[in-house]
Amino acid sequence: MIARYVLTSTCLSSGTMNLTQSLRVFLQGKDRIALRDEEGEIYDGIVNWRQNRLEGLAPYYAKRRLNVNDKIALHLEGDEIGLEALTPTAKSARPRATEVERSRPQLPEPTPEKTEKRIKVTPYPKEVIFPHKPVASEAPAFSADLEALGFSRESGSAPWVFRAALGRRTFHLALAKFGEMDAKELLAYRQQGRVQYAAIVAGESSKPEALAEIAAVRPSGLVQMGLGFVSPEALQRLVKLRTAFPVGPLDVERLLREGRIDLESIQGLEREISAVLRERSHFSAVLTLLAEMPPQQVFLLADLMPMAREMYLEADHLQQVLESLSNPPFLLLKRLSPGEFLMRQSVEQTLADWVEYAEVMARRLQGVLQDK
């Protein structure tokens, strides 16, 4: 299996790659992976799932002298990833002289009979030779945040176009920094049907000025005009949320439909995620209550309520978790009658069984994906 990756300034400065969809599938269940370059040299790659990136590539980038927008072919094979720089300018750094070479006597170099005169020629800039071809710019900082949220960048200059591939659905987003591109141009780009969404990117401190420019294009409202506002601070907050909950392109699209992605607009999403995380904490609290109960013991919901209230658990929360623990794949409890349960085995043994089940499934899925 072969994948391709386009380097960004963030990748080069941190010696990393973002975990694209193909990399996530290949690296499923792995924390480390061997990286082999064109000359057979091996690097130790670390899979940082929390920050959604593959680390340990700095020596390879330096060796091949790679730059922004250079491409790398990734050969995903077995227990290693083959690296192949797809740019003619990438070459290995000259090896340092060995101790033996330094100890050899230095013979005088022969004097050339004729001295050639070298003339330095300064080439014309690309924009002079090819005035019709836009020159690629360095990707903006918000590009890395969108890539971490599941988008892929498809342009090398403004407007910065990002693609969200969601299986049976795909949508494109065009962004331009405030002052980098006129709002009318960006709106026209959107109205030509090239992308589904377009927005101006500006910091929270510059939001009033950016919104005024957007409103001047068509004062009927952000949502109707198809042109919105995005702040880098909000994107960074979404990336941070992703470490606790799988935020993705669909969550971003819902905000785009409302016309804004700023710190104020994402508060609703933060509340939803907090509610989900509270449900998970309820689940953990109930397991803590059941951990003191021996196997094969019958109990009532009411038996747990005094301790549950000390953990700020209401009866409906407790009932919901107990019902879940009675169903596959948990099967910790057996429901005998409404509000009455049998403790099948200890919580400790059940947790060990869940770990074993997860590991078996991970190995099975890895085998299935490798066969494809």
Side-chain angles (χ1 to χ4, degrees):
M1 179 178 175
I2 299 178
R4 296 198 177 194
Y5 190 89
V6 181
L7 290 175
T8 66
S9 58
T10 303
C11 296
L12 291 171
S13 62
S14 59
T16 64
M17 282 185 183
N18 289 324
L19 295 181
T20 60
Q21 181 63 29
S22 54
L23 277 174
R24 292 183 69 85
V25 171
F26 179 74
L27 295 172
Q28 186 68 38
K30 298 179 181 178
D31 294 323
R32 291 183 177 271
I33 187 72
L35 308 171
R36 182 187 298 272
D37 68 11
E38 301 90 337
E39 299 172 359
E41 185 173 353
I42 300 294
Y43 310 88
D44 185 20
I46 300 173
V47 186
N48 190 333
W49 294 104
R50 178 175 293 274
Q51 297 188 19
N52 193 44
R53 67 186 192 180
L54 177 62
E55 301 174 347
L57 287 148
Y60 176 71
Y61 293 161
K63 177 180 178 180
R64 305 301 294 174
R65 300 178 184 177
L66 298 174
N67 297 310
V68 174
N69 292 328
D70 282 348
K71 298 180 178 63
I72 298 178
L74 306 175
H75 302 269
L76 310 178
E77 303 169 354
D79 293 328
E80 70 177 30
I81 297 178
L83 304 173
E84 180 185 358
L86 301 178
T87 170
T89 60
K91 53 187 178 181
S92 299
R94 182 178 180 182
R96 300 174 62 183
T98 64
E99 293 295 333
V100 176
E101 290 173 334
R102 287 197 293 268
S103 64
R104 291 175 181 171
Q106 301 295 317
L107 299 178
E109 297 182 358
T111 305
E113 296 180 0
K114 294 182 181 181
T115 303
E116 296 182 359
K117 186 177 181 181
R118 296 183 178 180
I119 301 175
K120 184 178 180 181
V121 179
T122 302
Y124 283 102
K126 291 182 179 180
E127 56 268 27
V128 175
I129 302 175
F130 307 105
H132 60 284
K133 186 176 181 180
V135 179
S137 306
E138 183 176 351
F142 58 76
S143 177
D145 293 326
L146 283 168
E147 290 172 9
L149 290 168
F151 290 80
S152 59
R153 182 166 57 87
E154 295 196 337
S155 66
S157 59
W160 304 95
V161 179
F162 296 86
R163 176 172 174 263
L166 305 171
R168 298 177 66 90
R169 278 199 57 203
T170 298
F171 71 87
H172 290 80
L173 165 65
L175 298 176
K177 291 184 286 186
F178 185 41
E180 181 180 42
M181 190 174 182
D182 187 80
K184 290 183 179 179
E185 295 179 82
L186 189 58
L187 177 58
Y189 192 88
R190 155 71 177 84
Q191 291 175 335
Q192 290 168 7
R194 301 184 185 183
V195 297
Q196 286 74 37
Y197 304 96
I200 288 179
V201 181
E204 292 284 333
S205 60
S206 302
K207 182 168 64 173
E209 293 85 355
L211 292 177
E213 179 175 326
I214 294 172
V217 177
R218 187 186 300 172
S220 59
L222 291 175
V223 180
Q224 291 78 12
M225 73 172 69
L227 182 62
F229 171 82
V230 173
S231 77
E233 295 92 333
L235 292 179
Q236 293 168 9
R237 182 78 66 84
L238 290 176
V239 173
K240 187 176 181 180
L241 285 174
R242 197 176 187 279
T243 61
F245 190 82
V247 178
L250 279 181
D251 300 297
V252 175
E253 184 182 32
R254 188 176 70 177
L255 296 168
L256 289 170
R257 287 174 176 169
E258 298 172 358
R260 294 189 192 182
I261 302 181
D262 55 14
L263 293 178
E264 182 181 357
S265 66
I266 66 174
Q267 289 178 358
L269 179 60
E270 289 178 324
R271 286 193 292 268
E272 292 178 15
I273 292 175
S274 296
V276 173
L277 296 180
R278 278 197 302 272
E279 292 296 330
R280 188 165 66 184
S281 67
H282 293 160
F283 191 90
S284 301
V286 175
L287 284 179
T288 303
L289 290 178
L290 296 175
E292 300 179 1
M293 191 173 297
Q296 296 300 310
Q297 180 169 330
V298 176
F299 66 94
L300 297 175
L301 174 68
D303 297 335
L304 300 179
M305 279 310 302
M307 291 182 293
R309 290 195 182 94
E310 293 180 4
M311 295 183 172
Y312 302 100
L313 281 174
E314 298 298 333
D316 56 340
H317 293 149
L318 181 58
Q319 176 74 31
Q320 184 179 359
V321 176
L322 293 177
E323 295 288 350
S324 298
L325 290 172
S326 303
N327 299 321
F330 306 114
L331 298 176
L332 171 63
L333 307 174
K334 181 178 180 180
R335 186 173 181 273
L336 302 178
S337 63
E340 184 180 32
F341 299 89
L342 168 68
M343 188 81 174
R344 293 178 184 268
Q345 59 182 6
S346 68
V347 171
E348 183 180 3
Q349 181 60 49
T350 301
L351 290 175
D353 292 343
W354 293 351
V355 171
E356 182 180 0
Y357 169 76
E359 291 176 346
V360 170
M361 282 302 303
R363 289 194 296 269
R364 185 181 300 174
L365 292 175
Q366 184 177 359
V368 171
L369 294 173
Q370 287 178 347
D371 291 341
K372 292 183 178 180

